Amino acid sequence: MRLAVVGAGSMGAQIAQQAALHGVEVRLQDRSLEQVRKAVESNRGHVMRRVEKGKLARAEAEDALSRVRTTTDLAEAVDGADFVIEAVFEDMALKRTVFAELDQAAPPDAVLASNSSTMGISKLADATARPERCVNMHFFYPVLVMDLVEVVRGPQTSDDTVERAMEMARAMGRTAVMLNKEIDGFIVNRILHAATQEAYRLLDNGVAGFEDIDTAVEKGLNWPMGPFRLGDFSGLDVTYNARMHMYQATGDERLRPSPQLEAKVKAGKLGRKTGEGWYRY
Ligand SMILES: NC(=O)c1ccc[n+]([C@@H]2O[C@H](COP(=O)([O-])OP(=O)(O)OC[C@H]3O[C@@H](n4cnc5c(N)ncnc54)[C@H](O)[C@@H]3O)[C@@H](O)[C@H]2O)c1
């Protein structure tokens, strides 16, 4: 099985390395040579930490690293590939261009998968002449740690393509779940959004403080982090933009971002990365 990964940012670099750790031959492409170099360096750091911890033999680590071959040339990356995973910036016009290029350059029977968090594959598949071989494969950050892939079928995705995507996820040591139809937010983000929105509603209505809501969720539902702590961890701007996206996509007033969340974002209190969000760091 030959995999090509297009886009060597936070997601693409680790998608490629995860597959290579499970014996898959991978070509990792980015248009930026600097990103390619960063990806190689970062992957070496992650894999070698496993060696230091005694979790991986040095020879296996070196093999896994050498199984990811890098390039800035798209045609070279997809030459002879059975499967392509796209992980470029979350920009529809850019992704459509990349899909059209992939359709030209990749073998005609190769599957073209997108790691987009928000774009159902139908928004990209019609930029190709093989919409039946296009599918969403939504990985979670950090891919080397998070054991889940949401495989989402678009209206034109074939059964064979869905099976090949599920198989690719398994081949790279990841658990795949299948969504039979496109839906905004897929499964995980919908459930996360629903719970987070409810947490903010409780806060905005003065039912409880954010620390107590976090404690309730952590101790009562056994989630590793409550919604406010998680928001600080991922960045409150990310949480806010996700809320805004859902609100604008549906027009549903119940999904409007919380005024208290908006105030944090406007004040530049974005969580860990700025030293303060709901909590201080
Ligand atoms: N970061 C996350 O938590 C996360 C989780 C799940 C899914 N995603 C999705 O994964 C995708 C990538 O996200 P990321 O966080 O890795 O982004 P990123 O900004 O870290 O990386 C994007 C990479 O794409 C490259 N790129 C841009 N245009 C290109 C082109 N034409 N050809 C080749 N490479 C190109 C950039 O140079 C960059 O290295 C997005 O669609 C995002 O929605 C992200």
Side-chain angles (χ1 to χ4, degrees):
M1 193 138 48
R2 266 273 292 284
L3 171 68
V5 179
V6 176
S10 334
M11 296 300 290
Q14 292 201 10
I15 291 170
Q17 194 58 64
Q18 177 63 28
L21 278 162
H22 286 261
V24 180
E25 293 293 333
V26 190
R27 295 249 174 91
L28 173 62
Q29 187 268 356
D30 200 289
R31 64 181 177 189
S32 147
L33 184 60
E34 199 197 329
Q35 283 295 100
V36 167
R37 288 196 179 126
K38 267 201 219 160
V40 168
E41 195 183 321
S42 152
N43 281 341
R44 174 160 284 279
H46 289 299
V47 170
M48 284 307 163
R49 261 195 296 287
R50 292 188 185 183
V51 175
E52 281 155 26
K53 287 183 182 163
K55 290 184 178 161
L56 188 67
R58 185 166 296 272
E60 274 178 54
E62 289 298 347
D63 283 351
L65 289 167
S66 63
R67 268 195 291 274
V68 179
R69 289 170 53 196
T70 56
T71 176
T72 52
D73 185 309
L74 190 74
E76 185 190 328
V78 300
D79 183 36
D82 309 293
F83 207 101
V84 182
I85 300 176
E86 167 278 312
V88 303
F89 299 133
E90 190 72 350
D91 173 315
M92 174 106 65
L94 173 68
K95 283 193 194 280
R96 287 184 63 86
T97 307
V98 169
F99 263 69
E101 285 170 7
L102 286 173
D103 191 35
Q104 293 297 314
D109 62 345
V111 169
L112 308 181
S114 174
N115 181 45
S116 173
S117 303
T118 61
M119 287 166 229
I121 200 64
S122 62
K123 303 215 170 72
L124 307 174
D126 65 347
T128 76
R130 61 177 97 184
E132 72 288 357
R133 274 192 285 284
C134 296
V135 67
N136 287 100
M137 275 181 90
H138 184 230
F139 290 81
F140 291 78
Y141 182 80
V143 180
L144 289 170
V145 177
M146 296 289 285
D147 178 21
L148 180 68
V149 183
E150 292 175 313
V151 171
V152 190
R153 97 180 283 160
Q156 300 192 71
T157 310
S158 69
D159 291 344
D160 178 60
T161 299
V162 173
E163 270 164 37
R164 285 168 72 189
M166 300 291 285
E167 182 48 40
M168 175 50 80
R170 280 191 287 268
M172 55 195 285
R174 287 290 166 254
T175 301
V177 293
M178 189 171 101
L179 280 76
N180 298 313
K181 45 172 108 168
E182 277 182 17
I183 185 160
D184 223 38
F186 307 142
I187 297 177
V188 171
N189 282 334
R190 283 185 86 84
I191 291 179
L192 175 65
H193 288 186
T196 304
Q197 196 64 8
E198 188 58 30
Y200 275 101
R201 208 174 352 252
L202 294 171
L203 179 78
D204 288 338
N205 289 337
V207 174
F210 69 90
E211 284 156 306
D212 281 340
I213 298 173
D214 271 353
T215 302
V217 170
E218 288 160 15
K219 305 283 182 194
L221 293 174
N222 233 357
W223 290 18
M225 280 188 247
F228 299 98
R229 213 181 302 283
L230 181 62
D232 275 4
F233 183 77
S234 9
L236 293 178
D237 52 335
V238 176
T239 308
Y240 177 77
N241 291 338
R243 303 264 85 66
M244 196 47 119
H245 170 79
M246 291 295 270
Y247 170 57
Q248 285 170 345
T250 58
D252 184 341
E253 274 305 315
R254 289 170 305 172
L255 298 180
R256 185 189 277 280
S258 147
Q260 293 196 64
L261 172 60
E262 190 167 82
K264 288 278 180 206
V265 173
K266 286 200 170 138
K269 294 179 178 169
L270 305 181
R272 277 176 188 273
K273 63 185 172 189
T274 60
E276 186 180 347
W278 289 102
Y279 298 89
R280 288 220 168 96
Y281 300 92

